[in-house]
Amino acid sequence: MKRAVNIRLDEQIIYVLNQLTEELKTTKTEVIERAIELFSKENKVKKNNLLQFAGIMKPSEADAMLEAIREDKNSKDVDFKL
């Protein structure tokens, strides 16, 4: 599930973004997502494995997971029912 975000961009960047969406026949979202993915690969940004659960967990499930981690950082037998 995608979320809306608000960002401020320089006019030149907005122009390039619009040009890319037209040339690639895609959305602004797709261009920005691909640019961020490329940037993260080039800069070897590590992904947090917990982020794979972002947006699919209920707040209560996320709270339970964080509490279990806090209680026992070495616990490997926690069932998160995902």
Side-chain angles (χ1 to χ4, degrees):
M1 184 168 122
K2 297 190 182 212
R3 287 186 349 178
V5 295
N6 294 316
I7 58 174
R8 296 179 195 280
L9 300 172
D10 184 74
E11 287 295 325
Q12 288 180 312
I13 299 298
I14 294 170
Y15 177 79
V16 171
L17 178 60
N18 289 331
Q19 290 298 112
L20 287 169
T21 58
E22 288 178 23
E23 289 175 21
L24 299 173
K25 295 181 179 25
T26 189
T27 65
K28 291 176 185 176
T29 298
E30 179 67 21
V31 171
I32 291 170
E33 286 176 345
R34 289 174 58 187
I36 292 171
E37 287 172 7
L38 179 61
F39 183 85
S40 68
K41 285 178 185 176
E42 286 179 354
N43 291 285
K44 298 178 181 157
V45 175
K46 290 184 179 180
K47 289 186 177 180
N48 183 332
N49 289 333
L50 286 177
L51 289 179
Q52 66 184 330
F53 300 113
I56 64 169
M57 296 179 76
K58 295 177 185 172
S60 59
E61 293 170 334
D63 290 342
M65 178 186 279
L66 290 174
E67 186 57 34
I69 291 169
R70 278 189 211 106
E71 287 178 6
D72 186 359
K73 292 181 182 178
N74 297 319
S75 176
K76 305 290 185 229
D77 300 324
V78 179
D79 182 15
F80 294 114
K81 299 175 185 163
L82 298 175

